[in-house]
């Protein structure tokens, strides 16, 4: 079992503890480390210097695939979030926004995908970047990594991105093609329908891109970290948990700002100045998305457990304990 997985075996037993860990691991300073520095950090793990060992572990957890030990591509490492600077106390005035290499790309395209559009072309153009990026992130952070991507997987990803792009633009396609002109119907399609659609497409993308894990299985380990075998049941559980966490992230990002705007537009202040609702929606989407990143990453343990009776018969017979461990992926 990789060092990263051994860490998750003893840490992050609760959602709040995982949330705290991810808040630390999403420090953008770690993204400026070169591959040589990351590999050096891996060799320093277990050193006598506890402070140096802790820094090396943080860099390894944030930059290295937990199953294969390969360094993740810079663009597909977990993005950043709002967090407090520990050296400046807990004063709200000391809150600052940490930008990673992903945020200038990921946050704008996510915000653009949730905004109302006037044409089908604009809706498709705004959906494609976020679907393309999330497909790449899913592929890079799947349960097992390090192998060369076969042509069949590339074609599968291309089809998934195309389908999800069209699915995300479906409300605008219906409005334009059907010729819906009533304000109530347009408001429903543009403001309410994207919430379940975005959540469903996020889960769909994970299920399709990682379908090989549900068919062929993933590696499972015993309590001492030794590999026991490959289990399709563990693969199905890992993909299901990841798909659910991704659906929660995009569903909440779509729902919370819309709910906030719906409540505020009824107040007298926003009835007199309705133009303030548009920038409020953009800011709300940005903040909710950045807050949902660590929440979705920590929704389920990265090192999951599965009961032996839920495994295949040959693995159940070979298992020494009541449960085995597997790498869930992100």
């Amino acid at each position: 079992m990789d060092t990263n997985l051994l860490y998750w075996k003893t840490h992050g037993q609760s959602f709040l503890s995982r949330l705290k860990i991810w808040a630390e691991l999403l420090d953008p300073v770690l993204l400026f480390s070169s591959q040589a520095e990351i590999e050096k950090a891996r060799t320093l793990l277990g050193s006598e210097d506890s402070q140096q060992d802790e820094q090396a572990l943080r860099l390894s957890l944030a930059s290295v695939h937990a199953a294969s030990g390969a360094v993740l591509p810079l663009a597909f490492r977990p993005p950043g979030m709002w967090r407090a600077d520990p050296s400046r106390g807990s004063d709200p005035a000391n809150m600052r926004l940490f930008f990673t290499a992903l945020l200038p790309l990921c946050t704008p395209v996510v915000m653009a995908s949730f905004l109302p559009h006037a044409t089908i072309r604009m809706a498709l153009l705004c959906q494609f970047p976020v679907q393309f990026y999330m497909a790449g992130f899913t592929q890079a952070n799947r349960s097992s990594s390090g192998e060369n991507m076969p042509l069949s997987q590339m074609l599968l990803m291309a089809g998934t991105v195309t389908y999800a792009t069209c699915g995300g633009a479906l409300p605008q396609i219906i409005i334009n093609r059907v010729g819906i002109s009533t304000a109530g119907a347009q408001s429903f399609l543009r403001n309410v329908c994207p919430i379940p659609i975005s959540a469903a497409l996020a889960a769909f993308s994970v299920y399709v891109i990682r379908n090989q894990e549900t068919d062929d299985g993933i590696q499972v380990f015993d309590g001492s970290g030794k590999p026991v075998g490959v289990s399709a049941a563990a693969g199905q559980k890992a993909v299901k948990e990841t798909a659910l966490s991704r659906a929660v992230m995009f569903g909440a990002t779509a729902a919370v700002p819309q709910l906030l705007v719906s409540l505020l537009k009824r107040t007298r202040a926003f009835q007199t100045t309705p133009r303030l609702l548009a920038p409020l929606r953009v800011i709300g989407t940005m903040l909710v998305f950045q807050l949902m990143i660590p929440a979705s990453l920590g929704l389920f343990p990265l090192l999951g457990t599965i009961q032996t009776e839920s495994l295949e018969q040959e693995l159940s017979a070979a298992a020494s304990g009541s449960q085995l461990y597997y790498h869930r992926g992100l």
Side-chain angles (χ1 to χ4, degrees), residues 190-238:
R190 287 175 171 169
N191 299 326
V192 179
C193 288
I195 298 174
I197 289 177
S198 59
L201 290 177
F204 165 80
S205 180
V206 173
Y207 268 113
V208 175
I209 293 175
R210 294 179 56 176
N211 74 314
Q212 185 177 3
E213 298 175 19
T214 62
D215 295 336
D216 300 339
I218 59 176
Q219 188 76 58
V220 290
F221 308 87
D222 60 16
S224 61
K226 296 180 180 179
V228 176
V230 176
S231 170
Q236 294 170 5
K237 190 170 185 286

Side-chain angles (χ1 to χ4, degrees), residues 16-329:
L16 291 179
S17 62
R18 292 191 296 271
L19 186 65
K20 181 180 178 181
I21 293 173
W22 279 113
E24 293 297 324
L25 295 181
L26 294 172
D27 189 340
V29 175
L30 299 175
L31 284 175
F32 293 98
S33 303
S34 64
Q35 183 163 344
E37 292 173 329
I38 296 173
E39 293 175 352
K40 181 180 179 181
R42 297 275 291 178
T43 61
L44 290 176
L45 292 177
S47 62
E48 296 181 358
D49 189 341
S50 60
Q51 182 177 2
Q52 187 181 44
D53 187 55
E54 181 179 355
Q55 294 174 350
L57 180 61
R58 290 178 64 244
L59 182 57
S60 176
L61 291 171
S63 309
V64 177
H65 193 278
S68 66
V71 178
L72 291 168
L74 179 63
F76 298 125
R77 296 174 194 172
M81 58 169 290
W82 285 95
R83 65 188 290 269
D85 187 346
S87 64
R88 300 188 180 186
S90 57
D91 188 346
N94 294 329
M95 296 296 292
R96 55 176 176 156
L97 179 61
F98 280 80
F99 286 96
T100 71
L102 301 179
L103 284 183
L105 169 66
C106 196
T107 302
V109 298
V110 169
M111 289 190 300
S113 67
F114 287 126
L115 293 177
H117 304 102
T119 64
I120 296 176
R121 177 180 297 181
M122 183 57 63
L124 292 173
L125 288 177
C126 291
Q127 283 290 330
F128 176 77
V130 66
Q131 301 298 343
F132 178 83
Y133 172 78
M134 294 312 301
F137 183 88
T138 301
Q139 174 68 19
N141 290 275
R142 64 197 189 278
S143 178
S144 57
S145 183
E147 309 90 357
N148 294 327
M149 192 189 314
L151 178 60
S152 59
Q153 183 69 10
M154 294 182 184
L155 295 175
L156 183 63
M157 290 181 62
T160 303
V161 172
T162 303
Y163 184 89
T165 299
C166 296
L170 185 61
Q172 190 62 43
I173 295 175
I174 295 176
I175 291 174
N176 285 37
R177 295 303 183 189
V178 179
I180 296 177
S181 58
T182 58
Q186 287 191 3
S187 177
F188 176 78
L189 287 170
R190 287 175 171 169
N191 299 326
V192 179
C193 288
I195 298 174
I197 289 177
S198 59
L201 290 177
F204 165 80
S205 180
V206 173
Y207 268 113
V208 175
I209 293 175
R210 294 179 56 176
N211 74 314
Q212 185 177 3
E213 298 175 19
T214 62
D215 295 336
D216 300 339
I218 59 176
Q219 188 76 58
V220 290
F221 308 87
D222 60 16
S224 61
K226 296 180 180 179
V228 176
V230 176
S231 170
Q236 294 170 5
K237 190 170 185 286
V239 174
K240 179 181 178 180
E241 292 174 345
T242 306
L244 180 58
S245 66
R246 196 72 57 80
V248 169
M249 179 172 68
F250 278 88
T253 303
V256 175
Q258 180 57 40
L259 179 61
L260 179 63
V261 169
S262 299
L263 294 175
L264 291 178
K265 69 191 306 182
R266 300 177 182 179
T267 62
R268 181 176 301 178
F270 285 93
Q271 286 178 351
T272 56
T273 55
R275 293 184 179 181
L276 293 178
L277 291 173
L280 181 64
R281 184 197 298 270
V282 173
I283 295 173
T285 302
M286 178 185 68
L287 294 180
V288 173
F289 177 68
Q290 293 180 15
L291 289 172
M292 285 306 300
I293 290 172
S296 64
L297 294 178
L299 187 60
F300 296 100
L302 191 62
L303 184 65
T305 59
I306 184 171
Q307 299 298 318
T308 53
E309 58 263 22
S310 301
L311 296 170
E312 292 79 355
Q313 184 175 1
E314 61 273 14
L315 290 177
S316 300
S320 57
S322 61
Q323 65 180 14
L324 295 179
Y325 298 86
Y326 63 88
H327 174 231
R328 175 177 65 85

